[in-house]
Amino acid sequence: MDLAKSSNGSLEREARRKRIVLNQSQKDTLQAWFEKNPYPGIAARDQLAKEIGIPEPRIQAMLLFLLSALVLLTQPLGYLEAEMKTYSHRTTPSACTLVMCSSVESGLPGRDGRDGREGPRGEKGDPGLPGAAGQAGMPGQAGPVGPKGDNGSVGEPGPKGDTGPSGEVGAPGMQGSAGARGLAGPKGERGVPGERGVPGNAGAAGSAGAMGPQGSPGARGPPGLKGDKGIPGDKGAKGESGLPDVASLRQQVEALQGQVQHLQAAFSQYKKVELFPNGQSVGEKIFKTAGFVKPFTEAQLVCTQAGGQLASPRSAAENAALQQLVVAKNEAAFLSMTDSKTEGKFTYPTGESLVYSNWAPGEPNDDGGSEDCVEIFTNGKWNDKACGEKRLVVCEF
């Protein structure tokens, strides 16, 4: 027995038993071919089979079905028999009819035509092998953006990363604001005696002293009226010389000098008490602060009403004394100088140019175009500052 033929026959019968369902495109193609040529040859049927993807024997059966239906609807029965014979001769190379047999090369054997009834339904065939994957279609248009999803739960912290390389040293920062006042430091060593102060104003008159010795005779008065002649008196003793008493004058001067020294000592003691702890004395100048902060204009008015002016250090010694007050209060203080008249040219309130300065590096720089006043930091350096800022009020007397 030829196993190959037996196998092919089984496959053909299996294929014949499977039902084929045409999609709309296959139906339209088959109808167009039928309308154009109801009697296609084997070559035309092969071409049609390739176009719609159906085996040629099924194409042949479908065309015969269509032709039969058309004839039954439009022609008498006698004409149908002649038409069937004509179609059989045109479409098959063998002498047998379409119902009985098919082409030897590619046709499938027909059923026994003697039994006109439809045979029993065959068993369901095995599913065919999956076809090759079709080409990927074009991507569709992007859909609308969906609503925002809920926040996800917080993930576990990741492992600690490696330490990065050290960054470059940054540029020096701007001068920071004054910090809170620190604790009082230990008492410093006693400084060198200050310069002698100017003489104070004369004190109030003291109480009357003891009666002094007889003064010298006064100037001779005008002659009086001639009196009556008196009785001659006894001869008196010889009188003292009329020159001033030098010893008495010396005693008076020494007494005055003692009073002056007492007043000077009292004034010096009073001055120390007055300057402690919010004042500093340098030469004939005294710097004094009330411990509060104000804008420049208000600070200037406070000092003017007190009989002084804002601090105007004109030497390193005066600047150092002023710095001690600033450090004690831990607050930057306004100075009296401004450049409000000519930008970049700082002057004293009298209009004089500066005779001393101690600017910080890069100052004055008129940052923001509105720094017309001057402040002194706790390190003694100066910086130009906006006059609307509030700084410690230190007056100069």
Side-chain angles (χ1 to χ4, degrees), residues 300 309-310 312 314 336-338 341 347-352:
Q300 196 175 40
Q309 65 175 25
L310 278 175
S312 306
R314 294 174 178 253
S336 69
M337 300 81 79
T338 68
K341 292 184 178 179
T347 59
Y348 296 111
T350 59
E352 303 172 78

Side-chain angles (χ1 to χ4, degrees), residues 14-15 18 124-132:
E14 184 69 22
K18 292 181 179 179
K124 184 177 180 181
D126 297 331
L129 298 174

Side-chain angles (χ1 to χ4, degrees), residues 146-159:
K148 182 178 179 181
D150 298 333
N151 293 333
S153 58
V154 179
E156 296 181 0

